[in-house]
Short mmCIF file of all heavy atoms in Angstrom, two decimals:
data_model
loop_
_atom_site.label_atom_id
_atom_site.label_comp_id
_atom_site.label_asym_id
_atom_site.label_seq_id
_atom_site.Cartn_x
_atom_site.Cartn_y
_atom_site.Cartn_z
N PRO A 1 0.84 -1.21 0.00
CA PRO A 1 0.00 0.00 0.00
C PRO A 1 0.87 1.25 0.00
O PRO A 1 1.92 1.28 0.63
CB PRO A 1 -0.80 -0.13 1.31
CG PRO A 1 0.12 -0.91 2.21
CD PRO A 1 0.83 -1.89 1.31
N LEU A 2 0.39 2.29 -0.69
CA LEU A 2 1.17 3.53 -0.78
C LEU A 2 0.48 4.75 -0.19
O LEU A 2 1.16 5.73 0.14
CB LEU A 2 1.51 3.83 -2.25
CG LEU A 2 2.61 3.01 -2.90
CD1 LEU A 2 2.76 3.40 -4.36
CD2 LEU A 2 3.93 3.18 -2.17
N GLY A 3 -0.84 4.74 -0.10
CA GLY A 3 -1.52 5.95 0.34
C GLY A 3 -2.65 5.64 1.30
O GLY A 3 -3.21 4.54 1.30
N LEU A 4 -2.99 6.63 2.12
CA LEU A 4 -4.13 6.48 3.02
C LEU A 4 -4.68 7.84 3.40
O LEU A 4 -3.99 8.84 3.40
CB LEU A 4 -3.77 5.65 4.27
CG LEU A 4 -2.92 6.25 5.39
CD1 LEU A 4 -2.86 5.26 6.56
CD2 LEU A 4 -1.50 6.53 4.94
N SER A 5 -5.99 7.83 3.70
CA SER A 5 -6.71 9.01 4.16
C SER A 5 -7.68 8.55 5.23
O SER A 5 -7.90 7.34 5.41
CB SER A 5 -7.43 9.69 3.00
OG SER A 5 -8.02 10.91 3.40
N ILE A 6 -8.25 9.49 5.98
CA ILE A 6 -9.14 9.10 7.07
C ILE A 6 -10.44 9.88 6.98
O ILE A 6 -10.45 11.06 6.64
CB ILE A 6 -8.45 9.31 8.44
CG1 ILE A 6 -9.21 8.60 9.55
CG2 ILE A 6 -8.24 10.80 8.74
CD1 ILE A 6 -8.40 8.40 10.81
N HIS A 7 -11.55 9.17 7.29
CA HIS A 7 -12.87 9.77 7.22
C HIS A 7 -13.80 8.98 8.14
O HIS A 7 -13.94 7.75 7.99
CB HIS A 7 -13.40 9.74 5.78
CG HIS A 7 -14.74 10.35 5.60
ND1 HIS A 7 -14.95 11.72 5.60
CD2 HIS A 7 -15.97 9.79 5.43
CE1 HIS A 7 -16.23 11.97 5.41
NE2 HIS A 7 -16.88 10.81 5.31
N ASP A 8 -14.43 9.66 9.09
CA ASP A 8 -15.40 9.03 10.00
C ASP A 8 -14.84 7.76 10.66
O ASP A 8 -15.47 6.70 10.63
CB ASP A 8 -16.69 8.69 9.25
CG ASP A 8 -17.52 9.93 8.95
OD1 ASP A 8 -17.23 10.99 9.54
OD2 ASP A 8 -18.45 9.84 8.13
N GLU A 9 -13.65 7.87 11.23
CA GLU A 9 -13.03 6.78 11.98
C GLU A 9 -12.55 5.62 11.11
O GLU A 9 -12.12 4.58 11.63
CB GLU A 9 -13.97 6.22 13.06
CG GLU A 9 -14.55 7.25 14.01
CD GLU A 9 -13.52 7.80 15.00
OE1 GLU A 9 -12.55 7.07 15.29
OE2 GLU A 9 -13.69 8.94 15.47
N TYR A 10 -12.59 5.78 9.78
CA TYR A 10 -12.09 4.74 8.89
C TYR A 10 -10.89 5.25 8.10
O TYR A 10 -10.87 6.40 7.65
CB TYR A 10 -13.17 4.28 7.90
CG TYR A 10 -14.26 3.45 8.52
CD1 TYR A 10 -15.49 4.01 8.83
CD2 TYR A 10 -14.06 2.08 8.77
CE1 TYR A 10 -16.51 3.24 9.38
CE2 TYR A 10 -15.08 1.31 9.33
CZ TYR A 10 -16.30 1.89 9.63
OH TYR A 10 -17.30 1.14 10.19
N LEU A 11 -9.92 4.37 7.91
CA LEU A 11 -8.82 4.64 7.00
C LEU A 11 -9.18 4.10 5.62
O LEU A 11 -9.69 2.97 5.50
CB LEU A 11 -7.54 3.94 7.48
CG LEU A 11 -6.89 4.50 8.75
CD1 LEU A 11 -5.82 3.54 9.25
CD2 LEU A 11 -6.28 5.87 8.50
N TYR A 12 -8.93 4.89 4.60
CA TYR A 12 -9.13 4.45 3.22
C TYR A 12 -7.74 4.30 2.59
O TYR A 12 -6.93 5.23 2.61
CB TYR A 12 -10.00 5.44 2.47
CG TYR A 12 -11.43 5.40 2.95
CD1 TYR A 12 -11.82 6.08 4.11
CD2 TYR A 12 -12.40 4.64 2.29
CE1 TYR A 12 -13.13 6.02 4.59
CE2 TYR A 12 -13.71 4.57 2.75
CZ TYR A 12 -14.06 5.26 3.90
OH TYR A 12 -15.36 5.18 4.37
N ILE A 13 -7.48 3.11 2.06
CA ILE A 13 -6.12 2.71 1.67
C ILE A 13 -6.04 2.48 0.17
O ILE A 13 -6.93 1.83 -0.41
CB ILE A 13 -5.73 1.38 2.38
CG1 ILE A 13 -6.09 1.40 3.87
CG2 ILE A 13 -4.26 1.05 2.15
CD1 ILE A 13 -5.33 2.38 4.68
N THR A 14 -4.99 2.98 -0.47
CA THR A 14 -4.68 2.52 -1.82
C THR A 14 -3.82 1.27 -1.67
O THR A 14 -2.63 1.34 -1.35
CB THR A 14 -3.93 3.58 -2.65
OG1 THR A 14 -2.72 3.97 -1.97
CG2 THR A 14 -4.78 4.81 -2.86
N ASP A 15 -4.45 0.11 -1.87
CA ASP A 15 -3.75 -1.17 -1.79
C ASP A 15 -3.10 -1.40 -3.15
O ASP A 15 -3.61 -2.12 -4.00
CB ASP A 15 -4.74 -2.28 -1.43
CG ASP A 15 -4.05 -3.56 -1.00
OD1 ASP A 15 -2.81 -3.57 -0.92
OD2 ASP A 15 -4.76 -4.56 -0.77
N THR A 16 -1.95 -0.79 -3.33
CA THR A 16 -1.41 -0.47 -4.65
C THR A 16 -1.19 -1.70 -5.53
O THR A 16 -1.68 -1.75 -6.66
CB THR A 16 -0.10 0.32 -4.49
OG1 THR A 16 -0.38 1.48 -3.69
CG2 THR A 16 0.45 0.77 -5.83
N TYR A 17 -0.45 -2.69 -5.04
CA TYR A 17 -0.15 -3.84 -5.90
C TYR A 17 -1.33 -4.80 -6.02
O TYR A 17 -1.29 -5.71 -6.85
CB TYR A 17 1.09 -4.57 -5.39
CG TYR A 17 2.39 -3.89 -5.76
CD1 TYR A 17 2.42 -2.67 -6.42
CD2 TYR A 17 3.62 -4.46 -5.43
CE1 TYR A 17 3.61 -2.06 -6.75
CE2 TYR A 17 4.82 -3.86 -5.75
CZ TYR A 17 4.81 -2.66 -6.41
OH TYR A 17 6.00 -2.06 -6.74
N ASN A 18 -2.36 -4.62 -5.20
CA ASN A 18 -3.60 -5.37 -5.39
C ASN A 18 -4.57 -4.63 -6.30
O ASN A 18 -5.68 -5.14 -6.56
CB ASN A 18 -4.27 -5.66 -4.05
CG ASN A 18 -3.62 -6.81 -3.31
OD1 ASN A 18 -3.12 -7.75 -3.92
ND2 ASN A 18 -3.61 -6.74 -1.98
N ASN A 19 -4.21 -3.42 -6.74
CA ASN A 19 -5.06 -2.62 -7.64
C ASN A 19 -6.45 -2.41 -7.04
O ASN A 19 -7.46 -2.48 -7.74
CB ASN A 19 -5.17 -3.31 -9.01
CG ASN A 19 -3.82 -3.56 -9.64
OD1 ASN A 19 -3.06 -2.63 -9.91
ND2 ASN A 19 -3.50 -4.83 -9.86
N LYS A 20 -6.49 -2.12 -5.73
CA LYS A 20 -7.75 -1.96 -5.01
C LYS A 20 -7.71 -0.75 -4.09
O LYS A 20 -6.65 -0.25 -3.72
CB LYS A 20 -8.04 -3.19 -4.16
CG LYS A 20 -8.56 -4.39 -4.91
CD LYS A 20 -8.94 -5.50 -3.92
CE LYS A 20 -9.62 -6.66 -4.61
NZ LYS A 20 -10.06 -7.69 -3.62
N ILE A 21 -8.92 -0.32 -3.69
CA ILE A 21 -9.09 0.62 -2.60
C ILE A 21 -9.76 -0.16 -1.46
O ILE A 21 -10.76 -0.86 -1.68
CB ILE A 21 -9.98 1.82 -3.01
CG1 ILE A 21 -9.45 2.45 -4.30
CG2 ILE A 21 -10.02 2.83 -1.88
CD1 ILE A 21 -8.03 2.94 -4.26
N LYS A 22 -9.19 -0.05 -0.26
CA LYS A 22 -9.74 -0.77 0.88
C LYS A 22 -10.05 0.20 2.02
O LYS A 22 -9.46 1.28 2.11
CB LYS A 22 -8.78 -1.86 1.35
CG LYS A 22 -8.59 -2.97 0.31
CD LYS A 22 -7.82 -4.15 0.84
CE LYS A 22 -7.74 -5.24 -0.21
NZ LYS A 22 -7.00 -6.43 0.26
N ARG A 23 -10.96 -0.24 2.89
CA ARG A 23 -11.33 0.53 4.07
C ARG A 23 -10.95 -0.26 5.31
O ARG A 23 -11.24 -1.45 5.42
CB ARG A 23 -12.84 0.82 4.08
CG ARG A 23 -13.27 1.80 5.16
CD ARG A 23 -14.77 1.99 5.16
NE ARG A 23 -15.45 0.83 5.73
CZ ARG A 23 -16.78 0.70 5.83
NH1 ARG A 23 -17.56 1.67 5.38
NH2 ARG A 23 -17.32 -0.38 6.36
N VAL A 24 -10.30 0.43 6.26
CA VAL A 24 -9.82 -0.21 7.49
C VAL A 24 -10.38 0.55 8.69
O VAL A 24 -10.25 1.77 8.77
CB VAL A 24 -8.28 -0.25 7.54
CG1 VAL A 24 -7.79 -0.82 8.88
CG2 VAL A 24 -7.72 -1.06 6.38
N SER A 25 -10.98 -0.17 9.62
CA SER A 25 -11.49 0.45 10.84
C SER A 25 -10.34 0.82 11.76
O SER A 25 -9.46 -0.01 12.04
CB SER A 25 -12.44 -0.52 11.55
OG SER A 25 -12.74 -0.05 12.85
N THR A 26 -10.32 2.07 12.23
CA THR A 26 -9.26 2.47 13.16
C THR A 26 -9.45 1.85 14.54
O THR A 26 -8.50 1.78 15.32
CB THR A 26 -9.22 4.00 13.31
OG1 THR A 26 -10.50 4.47 13.76
CG2 THR A 26 -8.87 4.68 11.99
N SER A 27 -10.64 1.38 14.85
CA SER A 27 -10.89 0.80 16.18
C SER A 27 -10.67 -0.70 16.22
O SER A 27 -10.13 -1.24 17.19
CB SER A 27 -12.31 1.12 16.64
OG SER A 27 -13.27 0.64 15.71
N THR A 28 -11.06 -1.42 15.14
CA THR A 28 -10.95 -2.88 15.15
C THR A 28 -9.89 -3.42 14.21
O THR A 28 -9.47 -4.57 14.34
CB THR A 28 -12.30 -3.52 14.76
OG1 THR A 28 -12.57 -3.24 13.38
CG2 THR A 28 -13.42 -3.00 15.63
N GLY A 29 -9.46 -2.62 13.23
CA GLY A 29 -8.50 -3.10 12.24
C GLY A 29 -9.10 -3.94 11.14
O GLY A 29 -8.38 -4.45 10.28
N GLU A 30 -10.43 -4.08 11.12
CA GLU A 30 -11.06 -4.88 10.07
C GLU A 30 -10.92 -4.17 8.73
O GLU A 30 -11.14 -2.97 8.60
CB GLU A 30 -12.54 -5.09 10.38
CG GLU A 30 -13.22 -5.97 9.33
CD GLU A 30 -14.71 -6.16 9.60
OE1 GLU A 30 -15.28 -5.34 10.36
OE2 GLU A 30 -15.29 -7.10 9.05
N ALA A 31 -10.56 -4.96 7.69
CA ALA A 31 -10.34 -4.41 6.35
C ALA A 31 -11.34 -5.01 5.37
O ALA A 31 -11.61 -6.22 5.41
CB ALA A 31 -8.93 -4.72 5.87
N ILE A 32 -11.90 -4.16 4.51
CA ILE A 32 -12.77 -4.64 3.43
C ILE A 32 -12.39 -3.93 2.14
O ILE A 32 -11.93 -2.79 2.14
CB ILE A 32 -14.27 -4.39 3.74
CG1 ILE A 32 -14.57 -2.89 3.83
CG2 ILE A 32 -14.71 -5.12 4.99
CD1 ILE A 32 -16.06 -2.57 3.83
N SER A 33 -12.56 -4.64 1.02
CA SER A 33 -12.35 -4.04 -0.30
C SER A 33 -13.58 -3.26 -0.69
O SER A 33 -14.70 -3.77 -0.58
CB SER A 33 -12.08 -5.14 -1.34
OG SER A 33 -10.94 -5.90 -1.01
N ILE A 34 -13.39 -2.02 -1.13
CA ILE A 34 -14.55 -1.22 -1.55
C ILE A 34 -14.55 -0.92 -3.04
O ILE A 34 -15.59 -0.56 -3.59
CB ILE A 34 -14.65 0.09 -0.75
CG1 ILE A 34 -13.45 1.00 -1.03
CG2 ILE A 34 -14.79 -0.18 0.74
CD1 ILE A 34 -13.65 2.42 -0.52
N ALA A 35 -13.40 -1.06 -3.70
CA ALA A 35 -13.35 -0.79 -5.14
C ALA A 35 -12.16 -1.49 -5.75
O ALA A 35 -11.09 -1.57 -5.15
CB ALA A 35 -13.28 0.71 -5.42
N GLY A 36 -12.37 -2.00 -6.97
CA GLY A 36 -11.31 -2.69 -7.69
C GLY A 36 -11.52 -4.19 -7.70
O GLY A 36 -11.87 -4.79 -6.69
N THR A 37 -11.27 -4.80 -8.87
CA THR A 37 -11.40 -6.25 -8.99
C THR A 37 -10.18 -6.99 -8.46
O THR A 37 -10.24 -8.18 -8.19
CB THR A 37 -11.57 -6.65 -10.46
OG1 THR A 37 -10.38 -6.28 -11.19
CG2 THR A 37 -12.78 -5.97 -11.09
N GLY A 38 -9.06 -6.28 -8.35
CA GLY A 38 -7.80 -6.92 -8.02
C GLY A 38 -6.91 -7.09 -9.25
O GLY A 38 -5.71 -7.27 -9.12
N GLN A 39 -7.51 -7.02 -10.44
CA GLN A 39 -6.75 -7.09 -11.68
C GLN A 39 -6.50 -5.68 -12.20
O GLN A 39 -7.38 -4.83 -12.11
CB GLN A 39 -7.52 -7.90 -12.73
CG GLN A 39 -7.78 -9.34 -12.35
CD GLN A 39 -6.50 -10.13 -12.15
OE1 GLN A 39 -5.59 -10.07 -12.98
NE2 GLN A 39 -6.40 -10.85 -11.04
N ALA A 40 -5.32 -5.46 -12.74
CA ALA A 40 -4.99 -4.15 -13.28
C ALA A 40 -5.89 -3.83 -14.47
O ALA A 40 -6.12 -4.68 -15.33
CB ALA A 40 -3.53 -4.10 -13.70
N GLY A 41 -6.40 -2.61 -14.52
CA GLY A 41 -7.24 -2.20 -15.63
C GLY A 41 -7.79 -0.81 -15.41
O GLY A 41 -7.45 -0.14 -14.43
N PHE A 42 -8.63 -0.38 -16.34
CA PHE A 42 -9.28 0.93 -16.22
C PHE A 42 -10.74 0.74 -16.57
O PHE A 42 -11.11 0.66 -17.75
CB PHE A 42 -8.63 1.95 -17.16
CG PHE A 42 -9.16 3.35 -16.97
CD1 PHE A 42 -8.50 4.24 -16.15
CD2 PHE A 42 -10.32 3.76 -17.59
CE1 PHE A 42 -8.98 5.53 -15.97
CE2 PHE A 42 -10.82 5.04 -17.41
CZ PHE A 42 -10.15 5.92 -16.60
N ARG A 43 -11.56 0.63 -15.54
CA ARG A 43 -12.98 0.44 -15.77
C ARG A 43 -13.77 1.13 -14.68
O ARG A 43 -13.51 0.95 -13.48
CB ARG A 43 -13.34 -1.04 -15.79
CG ARG A 43 -14.80 -1.31 -16.19
CD ARG A 43 -15.05 -2.79 -16.40
NE ARG A 43 -15.00 -3.54 -15.17
CZ ARG A 43 -14.81 -4.85 -15.09
NH1 ARG A 43 -14.61 -5.54 -16.20
NH2 ARG A 43 -14.81 -5.48 -13.93
#
């Protein structure tokens, strides 16, 4: 991962080599994928 931002107690992560955007809870550490298939592309 290369980048992160925070909003409403959640970290939003550029999971760079997975070609995804993920959300991580600052309180529990739980991570979920919110955008991206995992394959490189532009869609």
Side-chain angles (χ1 to χ4, degrees):
L2 284 177
L4 74 174
S5 186
I6 194 163
H7 181 76
D8 286 346
E9 307 288 334
Y10 287 101
L11 290 168
Y12 290 81
I13 314 294
T14 57
D15 194 4
T16 304
Y17 282 3
N18 281 328
N19 304 300
K20 283 186 173 184
I21 308 302
K22 294 189 177 180
R23 189 183 74 182
V24 176
S25 169
T26 58
S27 57
T28 68
E30 182 182 19
I32 64 168
S33 300
I34 65 167
T37 63
Q39 298 298 312
F42 186 95
R43 186 171 70 199

